[in-house]
Amino acid sequence: MDKAYVLDETTPIICIGGANVDRKFYAKYELTNETSNPVNSSSSVGGVARNIAENLGRLGEEVVLISASGQDSAWEEIYNLSSPFMNLEHVTQFENSSTGSYTAILDKNGDLSLALADMDVYENITPELMIKKSNLLKSAKCIVIDLNCPSETIEYICSFTSKYNIPLVMIPVSSPKMNRLPKTLSAATWLIVNKDETETFMNIKINNEKDWEDSVKKWLDLGVKNVIVTNGSNGVMAGVENGGIQYFPAIDTPMVADVTGAGDSFCSGVIYSWLQKKETDYIIKSGLVNSHKTIMSKYTVRQELSQKQFMIDMEECLK
């Protein structure tokens, strides 16, 4: 009773999508096929929706994660490391499924040689599952969904958020999953997408700044209210409702520890400052600052992140 009452009285950010274990294997020498290769390894928790939820939880937001997992040790690991920052009661466990995992094999130079993604469990994030959670979804101040979810679920959430006037943030996860985006995007308050994903969806090539700007216009023409097309160290191009299109350079980051999670931390900074009703410039720069600080950390979500630390970082970077 108490918990139900608390949920009714609050307006959480609800993140829907992936929660994985990320494993990395670093080859000590040249990789050789069809034999054993000596490696060093590391394991961490990831998943786009989960990473964004952790960033926002560390920033003091109340966050609920809706996802699907197996009943296994990988889920226990995710649960133990994530539960301080988000409500995990709405992750559904499936007995005969494996928790999502991403395994990367990096060559001796640190470049990706092979990646293995076991993401089948997310096919269980169905519209039927969403219908069961409709009372929770209605309470959201904002819903964030990643494209690990099946396309029919994304369609359902678009209809749901339009019907109940709930802001919706859509986050692609990779170029191959861009076909899960609906053809009309009028439900999307924000779409945060990278250059490769944009090229895949639009079937275009972005070769210069004009192409980049045109791609933002194309997204806006599909009904998105606010869109950001990111392009790594080249910065971002943003098109906002009634505000034109603007370029923002990336913050120079000479010391790169690990780029994993940089995109998710960018999205989190944007969402956080937008919900604080900041100006567009500040919103975009929040993403750039959080991403810049994350790249300098070996963690997918930087461990020192807090509301106070974020304010310090913003002041330092925007001087």
Side-chain angles (χ1 to χ4, degrees), residues 22 44-46 51 55 260-262 264-265 294 298-302:
D22 293 345
S44 62
V45 294
N51 290 346
N55 270 278
T260 310
D264 302 335
S265 60
T294 302
K298 65 177 185 178
Y299 295 98
T300 304
V301 179
R302 58 192 179 111

Side-chain angles (χ1 to χ4, degrees), residues 12-236:
I13 299 169
I14 298 177
C15 297
I16 308 170
N20 314 330
V21 171
D22 293 345
R23 299 182 182 92
K24 293 179 191 167
F25 295 88
Y26 306 87
K28 292 183 178 181
Y29 313 109
E30 289 286 347
L31 283 165
T32 310
N33 288 336
E34 298 177 24
T35 187
S36 174
N37 288 270
V39 297
N40 292 314
S41 63
S42 68
S43 174
S44 62
V45 294
V48 170
R50 195 220 67 87
N51 290 346
I52 291 171
E54 184 181 335
N55 270 278
L56 292 168
R58 286 180 180 274
L59 285 164
E61 294 287 349
E62 188 198 343
V63 190
V64 175
L65 180 69
I66 297 178
S67 189
S69 78
Q71 293 178 337
D72 50 23
S73 58
W75 170 245
E76 282 177 35
E77 183 183 349
I78 293 170
Y79 184 89
N80 291 336
L81 292 169
S82 308
S83 54
F85 310 106
M86 66 195 79
N87 177 333
L88 294 166
E89 285 172 43
H90 298 276
V91 176
T92 307
Q93 293 179 275
F94 293 87
E95 202 177 343
N96 298 316
S97 296
S98 299
T99 294
S101 70
Y102 172 82
T103 304
I105 299 165
L106 305 157
D107 66 20
K108 64 180 179 125
N109 303 316
D111 294 319
L112 183 67
S113 176
L114 182 70
L116 308 165
D118 179 355
M119 307 285 182
D120 286 356
V121 72
Y122 303 132
E123 296 307 308
N124 293 305
I125 306 175
T126 57
E128 291 71 29
L129 186 68
M130 295 299 107
I131 290 163
K132 287 178 188 168
K133 305 206 175 286
S134 58
N135 283 342
L136 170 68
L137 293 169
K138 281 179 203 170
S139 75
K141 70 173 167 184
C142 161
I143 292 176
V144 181
I145 192 166
D146 77 30
L147 296 194
N148 283 307
C149 299
S151 52
E152 58 270 23
T153 305
I154 293 158
E155 292 269 12
Y156 176 81
I157 289 296
C158 285
S159 302
F160 187 93
T161 52
S162 295
K163 181 178 178 181
Y164 293 103
N165 205 22
I166 299 165
L168 175 64
V169 182
M170 304 181 83
I171 313 286
V173 296
S174 63
S175 297
K177 291 186 178 171
M178 290 304 286
N179 60 3
R180 297 185 175 195
L181 265 189
K183 294 291 175 272
T184 58
L185 295 166
S186 52
T189 313
W190 284 91
L191 174 74
I192 303 172
V193 60
N194 69 27
K195 171 180 171 277
D196 294 342
E197 291 157 352
T198 298
E199 289 178 331
T200 299
F201 187 82
M202 302 282 184
N203 196 21
I204 57 170
K205 273 280 170 219
I206 298 172
N207 297 313
N208 52 47
E209 200 158 309
K210 186 182 182 305
D211 294 345
W212 194 2
E213 193 174 318
D214 287 345
S215 77
V216 171
K217 285 179 188 155
K218 285 188 167 82
W219 282 120
L220 293 169
D221 287 344
L222 291 174
V224 183
K225 292 174 192 69
N226 305 281
V227 64
I228 302 169
V229 178
T230 66
N231 190 6
S233 59
N234 294 312
V236 307

